[in-house]
Amino acid sequence: MTDQTPPRAKVLGGLTPYLQVDGAIKAAEFYKKAFGAEEVFAYPPDDKGRTMHVHLYVNGSTLMLGDAYPEHGHPHQPAQGYTLQLHLGSDDIDAWWKRAVDAGCEIVTPLQVMFWGDRWGQVKDPFGVAWAMNAPVK
């Protein structure tokens, strides 16, 4: 490690989603408001305002994200075919839901008791990423 390389942040959890979004720095700021994310590392933006890496902690797990770099073979593609699911306690889910919606997430499936017996709902963030929240019923 050189003097210019910052220390690595600890990766939490066994599986780490890595999102490629259009506006990673703005997404990280949004995730702080909507999901209580804590930013533990980010490379500074380039001259186009893009960053290759942001490392967040969300609900005890790591989430990483970066911008598209089409000139390096990584063009932006809209989020599709996956959902980031937050497993929450029955006393926490309403506050998490309200914070996400108040921050600007669009409700896709309202929070409700589902056929499997838990409360579950889904929102979509302004970057097109689907988030679900699940908690046991009291």
Side-chain angles (χ1 to χ4, degrees):
M1 192 159 51
T2 69
D3 290 337
Q4 296 176 347
T5 304
R8 297 177 68 183
K10 182 178 180 182
V11 176
L12 304 178
L15 179 66
T16 302
Y18 205 116
L19 305 179
Q20 180 266 314
V21 295
D22 185 17
I25 293 170
K26 289 180 183 176
E29 290 303 313
F30 180 80
Y31 295 158
K32 290 175 190 177
K33 288 187 277 189
F35 303 110
E38 174 190 352
E39 185 176 301
V40 293
F41 180 80
Y43 281 109
D46 66 10
D47 59 352
K48 295 180 181 178
R50 305 173 303 180
T51 184
M52 63 178 280
H53 182 73
V54 179
H55 185 155
L56 304 173
Y57 292 158
V58 180
N59 191 35
S61 296
T62 286
L63 173 64
M64 296 183 183
L65 50 144
D67 280 294
Y69 283 84
E71 68 273 26
H72 297 293
H74 299 282
H76 177 66
Q77 298 177 13
Q80 62 183 18
Y82 65 89
T83 300
L84 299 180
Q85 182 147 303
L86 295 162
H87 293 274
L88 304 165
S90 58
D91 293 333
D92 301 327
I93 193 166
D94 290 311
W96 278 76
W97 185 264
K98 181 177 180 349
R99 180 176 57 198
V101 172
D102 287 351
C105 285
E106 170 193 344
I107 296 173
V108 176
T109 304
L111 191 57
Q112 59 193 292
V113 177
M114 300 304 283
F115 67 89
W116 60 86
D118 289 346
R119 290 183 71 208
W120 185 90
Q122 186 179 44
V123 296
K124 185 178 281 189
D125 72 33
F127 302 90
V129 178
W131 294 75
M133 298 183 198
N134 192 87
V137 174
K138 288 184 183 180

